[in-house]
């Protein structure tokens, strides 16, 4: 029994060592996406293009209800970040634009303002609010899983680059989670303390049913 335990521990050690010395694991996006990420492309099929993403150079389309756009460079768009514990995105906010209250279940976030001014905040699990208006060159961090938002604080457009501590940080926007689904209005009213007219108005705006 003791020998089996030793062999098991040796197997784990060797497996971990092998994982650490692997240079990269470019995502094979045709494979399944699991907790450990996508399976690796065979090295013979990996090219320099797998490690380059050009999508952050172009501003996103802010002609929408939130007057904002997020351009992701997650593993699905940027296969080279698979297994590296990081990803990026570009945030564009037109005047009056906002990224509504949301959370990333799988990653912490660091935001760097490229131009303009952004009011950003996160809410701790104790319901303490940490809010700050930040400007060009400023950086703010948002801990993993906590609700947070970003809003344009100026009269001109604002742009930021955000970095995540996961190739696939996940995203859940609170307003869409409540009003953009098929949960019945009666249940939404009960859980949010909003009246029927308010719930139905928000469901109509955000595409919910029920």
């Amino acid at each position: 029994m003791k020998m089996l335990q030793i062999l098991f521990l040796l197997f784990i050690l060797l497996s971990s060592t092998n994982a650490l010395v692997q240079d990269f694991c470019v995502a094979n996006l045709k494979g399944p996406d699991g907790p450990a990420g996508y399976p690796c492309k065979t090295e013979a099929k990996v090219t320099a293009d797998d490690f380059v993403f050009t999508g952050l150079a172009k501003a996103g389309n802010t002609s929408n209800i939130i007057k904002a756009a997020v351009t992701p460079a997650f593993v699905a768009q940027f296969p080279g970040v698979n297994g590296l514990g990081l990803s990026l995105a570009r945030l564009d906010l037109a005047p009056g634009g906002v990224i509504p209250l949301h959370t990333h279940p799988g990653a912490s976030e660091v935001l760097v303002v490229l131009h303009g001014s952004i009011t950003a905040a996160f809410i701790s699990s104790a319901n303490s609010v940490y809010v700050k208006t930040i400007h060009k060159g400023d950086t703010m961090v948002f801990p993993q899983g906590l609700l947070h938002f970003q809003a344009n604080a100026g009269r001109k457009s604002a742009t930021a680059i955000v970095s995540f501590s996961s190739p696939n940080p996940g995203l859940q926007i609170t307003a869409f989670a409540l009003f953009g689904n098929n949960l019945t209005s009666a249940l939404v009213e009960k859980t949010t303390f909003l009246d029927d007219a308010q719930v139905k108005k928000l469901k109509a705006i955000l595409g919910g049913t029920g």
Side-chain angles (χ1 to χ4, degrees):
M1 185 67 178
K2 194 170 184 179
M3 181 58 71
L4 286 174
Q5 291 175 331
I6 292 171
L7 288 172
F8 178 76
L9 290 172
L10 183 61
F11 173 77
I12 295 296
L13 178 62
L14 290 172
S15 298
S16 300
T17 303
N18 183 61
L20 289 172
V21 298
Q22 186 174 355
D23 291 333
F24 49 77
C25 177
V26 173
N28 176 3
L29 298 177
K30 294 180 180 179
D33 181 17
Y38 285 93
C40 308
K41 268 188 180 182
T42 58
E43 193 165 344
K45 294 184 178 180
V46 173
T47 71
D49 289 340
D50 290 314
F51 302 102
V52 177
F53 182 75
T54 60
L56 301 186
K58 184 179 179 182
N61 182 8
T62 58
S63 300
N64 51 57
I65 189 172
I66 61 174
K67 300 181 181 178
V70 177
T71 304
F74 301 161
V75 65
Q77 297 82 28
F78 193 6
V81 302
N82 190 52
L84 298 183
L86 54 84
S87 59
L88 297 163
R90 172 177 171 143
L91 172 60
D92 290 287
L93 293 163
V98 60
I99 303 297
L101 203 63
H102 64 282
T103 181
H104 303 289
S108 296
E109 174 182 345
V110 177
L111 180 148
V112 182
V113 181
L114 298 185
H115 66 80
S117 298
I118 295 173
T119 297
F122 68 85
I123 303 169
S124 75
S125 55
N127 287 327
S128 296
V129 179
Y130 299 88
V131 60
K132 187 77 175 179
T133 297
I134 52 180
H135 310 280
K136 181 179 179 180
D138 292 342
T139 301
M140 186 168 179
V141 65
F142 306 88
Q144 181 174 341
L146 296 186
L147 290 166
H148 59 285
F149 69 85
Q150 294 97 12
N152 192 332
R155 297 180 179 179
K156 297 182 179 180
S157 296
T159 304
I161 294 293
V162 293
S163 175
F164 298 95
S165 61
S166 168
N168 191 9
L171 171 67
Q172 187 171 40
I173 299 175
T174 308
F176 284 93
L178 286 170
F179 306 108
N181 56 41
N182 62 356
L183 195 63
T184 65
S185 295
L187 283 174
V188 176
E189 291 158 24
K190 186 173 289 188
T191 57
T192 61
F193 306 107
L194 297 174
D195 64 36
D196 186 64
Q198 291 172 315
V199 169
K200 287 181 177 176
K201 177 182 178 182
L202 290 166
K203 276 181 170 286
I205 293 172
L206 299 175
T209 59

